């Protein structure tokens, strides 16, 4: 997809990256695809043995039968005494013999696709940048004349500017990997050029999976998915008082942010909307960065939320480790649930965990903006959960996503009569009217309950309000 249709036939391409970035795996996938099309393929290796390639392919369950693997050992590196030069050891003769062997093998096999692994060995034999460039150009012209689609691999092991090679080839693809402070390494791919092709620019996350090889997650571009959706009425929560505050409920094709301190019931409130959607026959996805699947279902059972009745069919719970999942993979996961399974409700719990999967906050904001725009255009009701630092009094959060959210619900603790209470208010709703009231809510064995407007309190959002006692206005616990 990011190449705009694949490699250009009968042209030379450059695949570059540091050792361990997955170049060999990606090159093998290219040849396997050619094999599936009925084309002849040739893998020329100067740095990795034939048995090593076969073993690497076997780890993914790939069969290289039908793909010619030519292990080329330059004469000066061979242990075969018959191939040693006993009189002259000039670099001209070493490089010349190596190239001649390559050409002879290509003429013999007559492949449609060729992988040359790697240019680092040619660079060493060339001895200088000018001769190296000329030799790569000669190889490129030879492969093109033979009607081959060539893929040159470069290890980027030399600390030198190899950008001059970019002008020689038809396309340039670079694989990168780096290590974050904690967690698995991150990988990304970028197409530098692809002549005459409208390719997907920028960086795209990818992973290497056993049995699948290199899996690329194209950067999500929301503008490409603006197909529109059937307008429906607001999605209610099943709690009359809460729906009244929201002007009927949450609108489809919008994103809602539930913000508040830890323990204030943000996840429970989101789960209430999800459960009501499941009862209507909709499909929902709950992505949790902070809670395990076991704890989620255990907590839901304590609130009389019957999620197991919908699990696996309408309801999907995904536990995500932010240290192991790249942002691109998360976006691709959500896209698959929405487009392939018809999911109409998505919950991300919480954005604090999502932020940990991003290399920097500014990237998170850009990623989240594109992701929310995509989900909105697909008619998905998205619920975001964001934890604030603190319990009562002034609070703050590491990121501010209120400007990206269409609806914002604010949860707060407040203290009165020697007891800790909870209050909720709707501070924003772009798509319609809403109440500006502050109401108490309680979470117990029967689930979530919302009371009347707390009109006899002042300073509730500060955590220590002034109260004119009137017990009937507060929710009482019920067994």
């Amino acid at each position: 997809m990011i190449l705009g249709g694949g490699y250009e036939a009968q042209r030379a391409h450059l695949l570059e990256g540091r050792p361990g970035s997955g170049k060999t795996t990606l090159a093998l996938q290219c040849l396997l695809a050619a094999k599936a099309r009925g084309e002849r393929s040739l893998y020329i290796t100067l740095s990795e043995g034939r048995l090593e390639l076969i073993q690497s392919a076997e780890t993914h369950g790939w069969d290289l039968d039908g793909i010619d693997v030519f292990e080329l050992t330059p004469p000066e590196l061979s242990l075969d005494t018959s191939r040693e030069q006993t009189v002259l050891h000039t670099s001209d003769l070493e490089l010349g013999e190596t190239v001649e062997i390559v050409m002879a093998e290509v003429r013999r096999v007559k492949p449609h696709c060729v992988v040359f692994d790697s240019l680092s060995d040619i660079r060493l034999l060339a001895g200088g940048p000018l001769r190296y460039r000329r030799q790569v150009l000669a190889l490129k012209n030879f492969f093109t004349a033979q009607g081959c689609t060539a893929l040159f691999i470069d290890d980027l092991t030399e600390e030198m500017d190899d950008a001059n090679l970019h002008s020689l080839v038809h396309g340039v693809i670079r694989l990168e990997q780096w290590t974050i402070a904690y967690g698995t390494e991150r990988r990304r791919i970028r197409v530098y050029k692809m002549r005459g092709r409208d390719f997907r620019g920028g960086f795209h996350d990818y992973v290497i999976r056993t049995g699948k090889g290199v899996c690329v997650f194209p950067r999500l571009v929301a503008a490409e998915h603006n197909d529109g959706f059937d307008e429906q009425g607001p999605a209610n929560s099943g709690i009359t008082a809460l729906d009244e505050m929201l002007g009927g409920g949450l609108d489809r094709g919008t994103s809602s942010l539930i913000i508040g301190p830890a323990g204030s019931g943000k996840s429970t409130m989101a789960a209430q909307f999800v459960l009501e959607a499941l009862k209507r026959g909709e499909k929902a996805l709950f992505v949790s960065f902070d809670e395990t699947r076991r704890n989620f279902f255990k907590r839901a059972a304590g609130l009389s939320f019957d999620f197991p009745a919908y699990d696996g069919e309408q309801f999907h719970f995904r536990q995500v480790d932010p240290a192991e999942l790249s942002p691109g993979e998360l976006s691709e996961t959500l896209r698959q649930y929405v487009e392939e399974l018809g999911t109409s409700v998505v919950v991300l719990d919480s954005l604090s965990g999502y932020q940990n999967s991003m290399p920097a906050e500014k990237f998170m904001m850009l990623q989240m903006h594109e992701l929310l725009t995509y989900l909105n255009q697909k008619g998905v009701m998205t619920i975001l959960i964001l934890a604030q630092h603190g319990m009562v009094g002034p609070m703050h959060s590491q990121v501010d996503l209120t400007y990206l959210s269409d609806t914002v619900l604010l949860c707060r603790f407040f203290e009165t009569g020697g007891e800790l209470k909870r209050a909720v208010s709707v501070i924003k709703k772009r798509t319609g009217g809403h109440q500006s009231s502050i109401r108490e809510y309680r979470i117990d064995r029967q689930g979530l309950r919302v009371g009347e407007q707390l009109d006899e309190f002042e300073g509730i959002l500060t955590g220590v309000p002034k109260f004119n006692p009137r017990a009937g206005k507060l929710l009482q616990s019920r067994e």
Side-chain angles (χ1 to χ4, degrees):
M1 178 179 179
I2 65 174
L3 292 176
Y7 300 104
E8 188 71 24
Q10 301 182 15
R11 294 293 184 270
H13 306 81
L14 178 63
L15 178 61
E16 56 186 15
R18 297 290 180 182
S21 58
K23 301 182 301 299
T24 300
T25 302
L26 187 58
L28 286 175
Q29 288 178 252
C30 174
L31 296 188
L32 287 169
K35 172 186 172 182
R37 295 192 299 267
E39 300 176 0
R40 295 203 65 179
S41 302
L42 174 63
Y43 196 109
I44 302 172
T45 172
L46 285 78
S47 55
E48 191 170 4
R50 183 176 186 276
L51 293 179
E52 291 177 291
L53 279 175
I54 294 176
Q55 187 177 28
S56 297
E58 288 177 347
T59 61
H60 293 287
W62 298 339
D63 185 3
L64 296 187
D65 287 344
I67 296 177
D68 290 277
V69 178
F70 182 58
E71 181 181 355
L72 175 62
T73 304
E76 70 280 1
L77 299 180
S78 175
L79 297 180
D80 184 356
T81 56
S82 65
R83 297 180 64 190
E84 291 183 357
Q85 300 298 325
T86 58
V87 179
L88 298 175
H89 291 277
T90 64
S91 60
D92 287 341
L93 188 57
E94 294 165 357
L95 181 58
E97 285 193 26
T98 299
V99 174
E100 283 298 328
I101 294 172
V102 170
M103 291 180 174
E105 183 66 13
V106 172
R107 292 190 184 101
R108 183 188 70 83
V109 177
K110 295 181 174 57
H112 297 89
C113 296
V114 176
V115 170
F116 190 92
D117 185 6
S118 71
L119 292 180
S120 300
D121 300 274
I122 298 298
R123 184 190 296 114
L124 292 174
L125 293 174
L130 179 59
R131 190 157 177 267
Y132 169 57
R133 177 183 171 88
R134 287 176 175 174
Q135 194 60 69
V136 174
L137 179 60
L139 283 171
K140 170 217 169 182
N141 292 335
F142 171 75
F143 289 138
T144 303
Q146 295 296 316
C148 300
T149 302
L151 186 60
F152 291 106
I153 295 180
D154 191 5
D155 293 332
L156 295 179
T157 52
E158 291 287 334
E159 294 296 332
M160 59 184 292
D161 181 16
D162 288 327
N164 54 357
L165 288 184
H166 290 193
S167 63
L168 299 182
V169 294
H170 190 84
V172 179
I173 303 157
R174 175 170 291 188
L175 302 179
E176 298 181 3
Q177 67 172 347
W178 74 98
T179 305
I180 57 178
Y182 180 81
T184 188
E185 68 276 358
R186 296 295 168 85
R187 293 184 168 97
R188 62 184 185 181
I189 185 173
R190 178 186 175 189
V191 181
Y192 274 75
K193 63 177 284 189
M194 189 62 66
R195 289 173 181 164
R197 189 77 64 80
D198 185 16
F199 61 89
R200 178 70 61 84
F203 291 105
H204 312 273
D205 293 331
Y206 74 95
V207 296
I208 301 176
R209 289 177 177 163
T210 302
K212 294 184 178 180
V214 174
C215 300
V216 180
F217 309 111
R219 180 170 47 82
L220 184 64
V221 179
E224 298 177 350
H225 302 273
N226 192 12
D227 303 326
F229 63 95
D230 294 333
E231 295 287 347
Q232 302 179 34
N236 60 68
S237 65
I239 301 176
T240 303
L242 182 59
D243 293 334
E244 289 176 354
M245 295 179 67
L246 291 166
L250 299 178
D251 292 319
R252 305 174 195 278
T254 66
S255 56
S256 302
L257 177 66
I258 304 178
I259 185 171
S264 58
K266 303 181 299 298
S267 299
T268 301
M269 194 170 294
Q272 177 66 45
F273 280 99
V274 170
L275 186 61
E276 195 64 21
L278 296 176
K279 293 178 181 178
R280 293 191 298 266
E282 300 181 44
K283 294 182 179 180
L285 171 65
F286 200 107
V287 180
S288 176
F289 293 90
D290 309 321
E291 191 173 24
T292 65
R293 176 183 176 87
R294 173 182 174 275
N295 287 346
F296 174 83
F297 280 96
K298 184 177 180 180
R299 178 171 59 83
L303 298 171
S304 299
F305 288 172
D306 190 14
F307 282 108
Y310 307 94
D311 188 35
E313 294 294 333
Q314 291 179 246
F315 179 70
H316 297 273
F317 181 89
R318 285 292 301 270
Q319 178 185 343
V320 173
D321 184 351
E324 303 296 325
L325 185 72
S326 66
E329 186 173 0
L330 176 62
S331 296
E332 180 65 16
T333 298
L334 296 181
R335 189 195 65 79
Q336 291 176 355
Y337 274 98
V338 171
E339 297 184 9
E340 298 177 13
L341 298 180
T343 299
S344 59
V345 180
V346 172
V347 177
L348 293 180
D349 183 14
S350 67
L351 292 179
S352 301
Y354 184 78
Q355 182 190 19
N356 292 333
S357 68
M358 303 296 291
E361 179 179 327
K362 61 180 180 179
F363 298 137
M364 175 189 174
M365 303 302 286
L366 293 173
Q367 180 90 6
M368 183 57 65
H369 183 277
E370 202 72 14
L371 181 60
L372 291 180
T373 302
Y374 163 77
L375 293 173
N376 290 348
Q377 291 176 168
K378 286 296 182 179
V380 176
M381 183 179 73
T382 309
I383 301 178
L384 311 172
I385 297 175
L386 180 61
Q388 291 183 303
H389 298 292
M391 296 299 289
V392 295
M395 297 184 187
H396 68 280
S397 57
Q398 294 180 344
V399 293
D400 181 13
L401 285 176
T402 55
Y403 76 98
L404 288 180
S405 305
D406 300 298
T407 305
V408 179
L409 285 84
L410 179 64
C411 299
R412 278 290 184 265
F413 286 114
F414 68 98
E415 178 269 330
T416 180
E419 187 177 353
L420 197 62
K421 302 285 186 178
R422 295 181 175 93
V424 62
S425 60
V426 180
I427 62 176
K428 171 186 178 182
K429 187 179 181 183
R430 285 185 181 140
T431 56
H434 65 90
Q435 293 184 0
S436 58
S437 61
I438 301 176
R439 301 197 184 204
E440 183 195 3
Y441 66 97
R442 178 180 289 272
I443 300 173
D444 53 28
R445 295 178 182 177
Q446 281 70 41
L448 180 69
R449 291 186 293 140
V450 178
E452 298 179 13
Q453 179 175 339
L454 298 173
D455 53 8
E456 295 186 355
F457 286 82
E458 292 182 0
I460 290 178
L461 300 185
T462 66
V464 186
K466 297 179 181 178
F467 174 53
N468 183 9
R470 199 172 146 193
K473 298 286 287 186
L474 294 175
L475 287 171
Q476 303 299 316
S477 61
R478 67 186 184 188
E479 298 299 331

